[in-house]
Amino acid sequence: MKYYIDYSQDKTLAVMKGDFMIRKWGDFHNIGIRAKNKISYLFIQMLRNILARKNFILIREMAALEIQRQIPINATLYPDLDFIRISTLELVSNEIKEQGLSGAIAELGVYNGGFAKYLNQLFPEKKLYLFDTFSGFDKRDWEYELSIGTNAVYQDFKVDLIQDCLKNMPYREKCIIKQGYFPESLDGLEETFCFVSIDVDLYQPILKGLEYFYPRLIPGGYIFVHDYNQACYKGAKRAVREYCRKERIPYFPLSDYGGSAIISKG
């Protein structure tokens, strides 16, 4: 059995078949402690009760899943990654594979490829389009964000993110970099998609992403929109609600760290 503990979005601890993996998000290290004996049901119950008094939450993590997990739980114990988001992605990838959906994969807002790496891993046979300025927010989007009065935090990247991104991809030959301002970076691209991740933080690029990708989404496909419930990027929620209301599209919020919204096409 696998367990996940969340503490005020600051600390995570996972219990895996006798291994304790402790992660404190404010630091950049992991602490591993190996238990000598098998963790019993009574110990888990005792641990749950003790942690509950400290505002920890202990839950089971798909212990009875019929398929072999491809992404180990401790792979998400690093900065900027999210256990719930990655686990949900893996389940969605299983749905897409089991239904035999065609179409490519895309991510709008790649940063250094932390999430794209798992897209590439879970969909090794599919083309992966990676859209980003690779230099932070575009001035046009940032100025618009300020004009509508949201409280976003400016981001400006100064490192070679394209190389950082590609070096971590297990199937690099499937990756197609689309650098530049979206949607100009499409450069006439016409493609269908079965999964899209939108993680660009701001109202205008999120709305433009939905306007391009949703009509090209295969029935049964999914779009993850990051930061929907993130307090410092309120433009994300505004964009999702505006587009989905206009097109009469249902969506639901995910309880991951970034407060994602998930859209599926019927």
Side-chain angles (χ1 to χ4, degrees):
M1 290 187 180
K2 300 175 182 178
Y3 292 83
Y4 173 75
I5 301 171
D6 180 83
Y7 179 67
S8 301
Q9 298 181 338
D10 292 323
K11 301 176 183 177
T12 57
L13 181 150
V15 182
M16 300 177 53
K17 298 181 179 178
D19 292 337
F20 290 78
M21 296 295 296
I22 302 173
R23 172 66 181 162
K24 184 178 180 182
W25 289 96
D27 300 330
F28 291 89
H29 64 275
N30 291 324
I31 302 173
I33 306 172
R34 179 172 296 277
K36 294 181 178 179
N37 300 312
K38 184 177 180 180
I39 300 177
S40 67
Y41 174 80
L42 290 178
F43 175 78
I44 291 296
Q45 296 302 312
M46 180 181 69
L47 181 62
R48 175 181 291 161
N49 293 336
I50 293 172
L51 293 172
R53 291 195 288 269
K54 300 292 185 180
N55 293 326
F56 284 83
I57 298 173
L58 177 62
I59 61 173
R60 286 186 176 181
E61 194 275 315
M62 295 182 289
L65 197 64
E66 292 182 340
I67 59 175
Q68 180 67 35
R69 295 296 301 275
Q70 297 185 57
I71 301 176
I73 189 172
N74 60 316
T76 64
L77 301 180
Y78 294 93
D80 300 325
L81 292 181
D82 186 318
F83 166 78
I84 295 175
R85 186 182 181 208
I86 299 296
S87 291
T88 304
L89 170 65
E90 186 170 353
L91 289 178
V92 163
S93 73
N94 293 335
E95 288 291 318
I96 289 171
K97 292 172 185 176
E98 289 175 1
Q99 295 182 45
L101 299 186
S102 61
I105 308 298
E107 182 166 45
L108 173 59
V110 179
Y111 185 45
N112 62 2
F115 191 69
K117 169 186 174 181
Y118 294 109
L119 295 177
N120 192 221
Q121 177 181 338
L122 292 169
F123 298 100
E125 75 289 353
K126 293 186 178 293
K127 290 184 288 185
L128 173 58
Y129 291 91
L130 299 172
F131 295 87
D132 207 305
T133 64
F134 293 100
S135 60
F137 293 156
D138 187 277
K139 183 179 179 181
R140 289 164 284 186
D141 291 334
W142 180 248
E143 289 179 348
Y144 189 83
E145 196 79 10
L146 295 178
S147 74
I148 61 176
T150 66
N151 60 335
V153 178
Y154 187 76
Q155 297 190 46
D156 184 18
F157 314 134
K158 296 296 185 182
V159 295
D160 189 357
L161 293 179
I162 294 179
Q163 292 306 313
D164 286 349
C165 173
L166 289 177
K167 72 181 181 182
N168 293 319
M169 297 298 166
Y171 303 98
R172 194 176 306 180
E173 71 280 2
K174 291 293 185 179
C175 299
I176 303 170
I177 297 291
K178 304 290 284 184
Q179 184 178 12
Y181 180 67
F182 188 89
E184 294 173 7
S185 58
L186 287 166
D187 195 27
L189 175 67
E190 283 300 331
E191 180 72 88
T192 58
F193 301 89
C194 61
F195 182 89
V196 178
S197 168
I198 299 178
D199 186 5
V200 281
D201 304 337
L202 306 181
Y203 166 83
Q204 191 161 255
I206 291 174
L207 182 60
K208 290 179 179 179
L210 290 171
E211 289 173 345
Y212 176 79
F213 287 112
Y214 186 80
R216 294 165 176 80
L217 193 67
I218 294 291
Y222 295 83
I223 298 177
F224 283 17
V225 183
H226 203 236
D227 296 315
Y228 174 80
N229 270 314
Q230 185 66 267
C232 62
Y233 292 113
K234 292 184 178 179
K237 179 176 286 187
R238 178 172 175 173
V240 171
R241 287 184 171 178
E242 181 178 311
Y243 183 79
C244 291
R245 187 181 299 116
K246 177 183 176 182
E247 301 296 332
R248 298 183 179 181
I249 300 168
Y251 62 91
F252 71 91
L254 190 67
S255 62
D256 61 337
Y257 182 80
S260 298
I262 296 183
I263 299 170
S264 180
K265 194 169 191 178

